Amino acid sequence: LNLSISHAEILEIFASAVGSTDRDTAILDEITQALESVPLVGSAGGCAAATLLSPEAERVVGRVRSAVGRSGRPFEEVFRGFCRSGGRGAVTMNRADLARVLSTFEPDIDPEVVARLWRLTVPDGAQGLDFSNFCAWFCPGGRALSGQVSAVTPIGGLSESQMLSTLLEKSGMSRSPSPMSASMPNL
């Protein structure tokens, strides 16, 4: 099974399916019902439960998505700016890049949240997060989030757009707006 979840999460689903941790076996119907009770969405590597995103994970994904959308930059330019560890011309974002990006928007992010997002966004056997999956998770119009996480206040007085600009500047990407974005107001 490619559930893109940790061993602990599988045990939690099992315990939920059988009603306790006292049993060490379950019948297929119990497991099937437990999995069917969790709404599933397509993920990079198969299927994953949308509800398995913790509020912290959903918040940071939402913040990145919001900043990417408001940046006025083409999504591919933002993605290339995030792919810093692989050197110039990198076609995938590695785990260190993802951790750096997420910690920019959520400085005290739990490393387990980064690990879970990595497992959800990167297909098994892939070298890293590719542009298509980046768009699905971190760009406006991507996969639906639960929407249960409310808006958060900017960190250190910086808006999400300012955090994104700072992150891209550190990547060596200067702001050279496209003709279309140059005519649009900064929001």
Side-chain angles (χ1 to χ4, degrees), residues 118-132:
W118 181 259
R119 289 188 305 268
L120 286 171
T121 60
V122 178
D124 288 340
Q127 295 293 319
L129 180 63
D130 63 20
F131 179 65
S132 172

Side-chain angles (χ1 to χ4, degrees), residues 97-168:
D97 291 329
L98 181 64
R100 179 178 40 82
V101 169
L102 297 177
S103 67
T104 297
F105 291 91
E106 202 70 40
D108 297 323
I109 193 165
D110 183 341
E112 180 54 36
V113 172
V114 175
R116 179 180 287 181
L117 284 170
W118 181 259
R119 289 188 305 268
L120 286 171
T121 60
V122 178
D124 288 340
Q127 295 293 319
L129 180 63
D130 63 20
F131 179 65
S132 172
N133 287 315
F134 170 78
C135 288
W137 283 93
F138 298 104
C139 294
R143 76 180 60 254
L145 302 176
S146 77
Q148 295 176 357
V149 176
S150 60
V152 291
T153 10
I155 297 171
L158 293 177
S159 72
E160 289 150 350
S161 297
Q162 291 167 320
M163 286 187 266
L164 177 72
S165 293
T166 301
L167 187 60
L168 291 176

